[in-house]
Amino acid sequence: MAATSAALVLTACGQDDSGGADSAKGDSATGKAGKAGSREERYKRVIEDPHPRPAEVIWAAGAPTGVARANDGSLLLTYDAGNVEDDEGPAASAWRVVDPRGRTVAEHAEHTDAEAVRPQFKGVRGGFVSVPAAEGTDGVYGIGVHGERHKVTTTETALGSRPGDILVAELEPALIYRPATRTAAPPAGVPDDARHLAVDERGTTWILDQPLTAEHDTVVRQREGRTLGSTPVPKQYQGGKLTARGGTAALALLQEESVRGLLVTTDGGAHWTTLTGGGVPWQDLKRGPEFLVLQALSDGRLIVGEEGGRQWIADDRTNRTFHALKTPKDFTSFAVHGTALYGIVDTTTATYDLADGEGLWTSRDAGRTWQRYEQRG
């Protein structure tokens, strides 16, 4: 991934939350309802509009639901404004492409309903690719860094993973995207008992194989459909989420549906270490494996934690010791792109008001300092 130093124009971490990017939100940028319920009324107009404007949807949403980054540093931000009173009814979604200088180059909005699946994207070389909303490969398409939509060829013929391939959908079914040919297909060699997958920048597919007849789980690594090796998960654990990047691969270790450590390799799978300490209070991760944050930076360092909670980052790429990641606000979601960290502050349910510090935050120095996202127009 390209460096992000030019991707965002940022305000200082200590800036008042009513300024910067939120100044365009009008009379309720501080998160209050505004005079005579003006924010509520405007919000309702946005989600009921059959042809909403992207800027209006983005204003109503307050914070992106996701951030994807292309290899040139361009960002695609997705937004969602749903019905507050009920889990049914009108809603609106939008996306916006921002160039490496922080300028909007394209945007799109749609009127939808509260039950519809919102679009998600992943960054690839030359742009972004959509994540399929349901089982199968239908509906996958690409968006270039200038906002142009392009076709993605989908096939049921499995592809052996290569450098540059991106894992688009982990399972049901698994799906990889090859930017060079704009093709999406299942990865070759994935067993029926696979439970989690990861694909690194070298084109290695890491698979958690969990056959019902075996005594323990196994981590299998493949490239171009050929098995390179396998490693058994320690018998007292079950495997969970996988991540792989920068020569590092890590598997969450579970006991009775609780995360209790990691199985880690930092040399491409030649040697593995079981980590059950290292400065991470594993016993405090109580929300369950589905809320686990486990991601690898492009330099091989790991970040582990919980969605909506605390995170810990490795002190170095050996991933033997970790320290708590200090954040300016409590992030409701968290992402890693290359060596940049992204945190989103948002409300956990649809509301007319905004959360304190709502929006996108980023760090370019492994979490030592954070900046509030601000566009240049």
Side-chain angles (χ1 to χ4, degrees):
M1 289 291 189
T4 59
S5 60
L8 303 175
V9 178
L10 306 162
T11 56
C13 180
Q15 182 171 333
D16 186 284
D17 289 340
S18 63
D22 290 335
S23 62
K25 294 175 181 172
D27 54 11
S28 57
T30 61
K32 304 302 181 183
K35 296 180 181 179
S38 59
R39 178 170 175 84
E40 177 178 338
E41 294 172 4
R42 184 176 171 188
Y43 187 106
K44 288 180 176 178
R45 288 198 302 270
V46 171
I47 65 173
E48 293 170 357
D49 189 341
H51 304 288
R53 295 192 299 118
E56 286 288 300
V57 178
I58 291 168
W59 171 87
T65 55
V67 53
R69 196 182 76 192
N71 66 319
D72 74 338
S74 297
L75 299 179
L76 189 151
L77 308 175
T78 51
Y79 297 85
D80 176 35
N83 191 13
V84 174
E85 282 84 5
D86 198 349
D87 58 1
E88 299 178 349
S93 64
W95 55 258
R96 172 177 282 172
V97 175
V98 183
D99 71 13
R101 296 180 297 173
R103 298 183 183 277
T104 297
V105 296
E107 55 189 12
H108 173 76
E110 293 182 359
H111 175 72
T112 181
D113 62 80
E115 296 179 302
V117 177
R118 305 299 186 264
Q120 300 179 56
F121 299 89
K122 290 194 174 182
V124 297
R125 189 180 69 202
F128 314 90
V129 63
S130 67
V131 176
E135 293 185 7
T137 60
D138 293 338
V140 180
Y141 61 93
I143 295 178
V145 294
H146 301 294
E148 70 282 9
R149 179 165 170 162
H150 59 75
K151 180 181 178 181
V152 170
T153 301
T154 58
T155 176
E156 295 182 0
T157 302
L159 292 175
S161 57
R162 298 177 182 175
D165 289 350
I166 302 294
L167 182 66
V168 176
E170 187 177 7
L171 291 173
E172 299 183 3
L175 191 67
I176 60 173
Y177 174 73
R178 183 160 294 167
T181 58
R182 292 182 178 175
T183 301
V190 176
D192 294 337
D193 295 315
R195 292 296 178 267
H196 290 281
L197 298 177
V199 178
D200 65 21
E201 74 280 13
R202 300 176 182 178
T204 304
T205 299
W206 302 80
I207 305 165
L208 173 64
D209 192 13
Q210 202 172 56
L212 297 176
T213 56
E215 294 183 0
H216 48 70
D217 301 346
T218 303
V219 179
V220 180
R221 60 188 187 278
Q222 298 179 344
R223 189 176 300 141
E224 296 186 352
R226 295 181 294 103
T227 298
L228 304 177
S230 62
T231 301
V233 176
K235 291 185 178 181
Q236 65 269 39
Y237 300 106
Q238 287 185 312
K241 288 185 178 179
L242 267 168
T243 191
R245 182 69 45 179
T248 293
L251 172 77
L253 297 176
L254 312 181
Q255 279 185 338
E256 298 180 351
E257 294 302 310
S258 295
V259 181
R260 288 294 175 258
L262 299 174
L263 184 64
V264 182
T265 178
T266 58
D267 55 10
H271 303 88
W272 293 80
T273 301
T274 300
L275 178 72
T276 56
V280 179
W282 302 101
Q283 68 280 1
D284 292 343
L285 303 183
K286 298 179 180 179
R287 299 194 65 194
E290 65 272 23
F291 294 98
L292 178 69
V293 172
L294 177 60
Q295 300 196 55
L297 280 70
S298 59
D299 62 9
R301 285 179 295 166
L302 292 171
I303 289 180
V304 63
E306 287 185 314
E307 292 181 11
R310 300 173 64 195
Q311 287 87 36
W312 290 261
I313 185 170
D315 295 330
D316 53 49
R317 71 174 313 276
T318 66
N319 292 296
R320 296 183 181 274
T321 58
F322 290 70
H323 62 272
L325 193 66
K326 295 182 179 180
T327 61
K329 303 290 180 181
D330 293 332
F331 295 148
T332 49
S333 61
F334 189 86
V336 174
H337 294 286
T339 56
L341 312 183
Y342 295 89
I344 293 174
V345 178
D346 199 1
T347 55
T348 55
T349 57
T351 177
Y352 300 120
D353 292 342
L354 304 177
D356 179 29
E358 183 153 342
L360 177 65
W361 297 74
T362 188
S363 174
R364 299 191 299 270
D365 55 12
R368 287 189 293 273
T369 61
W370 290 87
Q371 299 81 32
R372 185 83 171 272
Y373 172 86
E374 182 186 1
Q375 284 189 226
R376 299 177 100 180

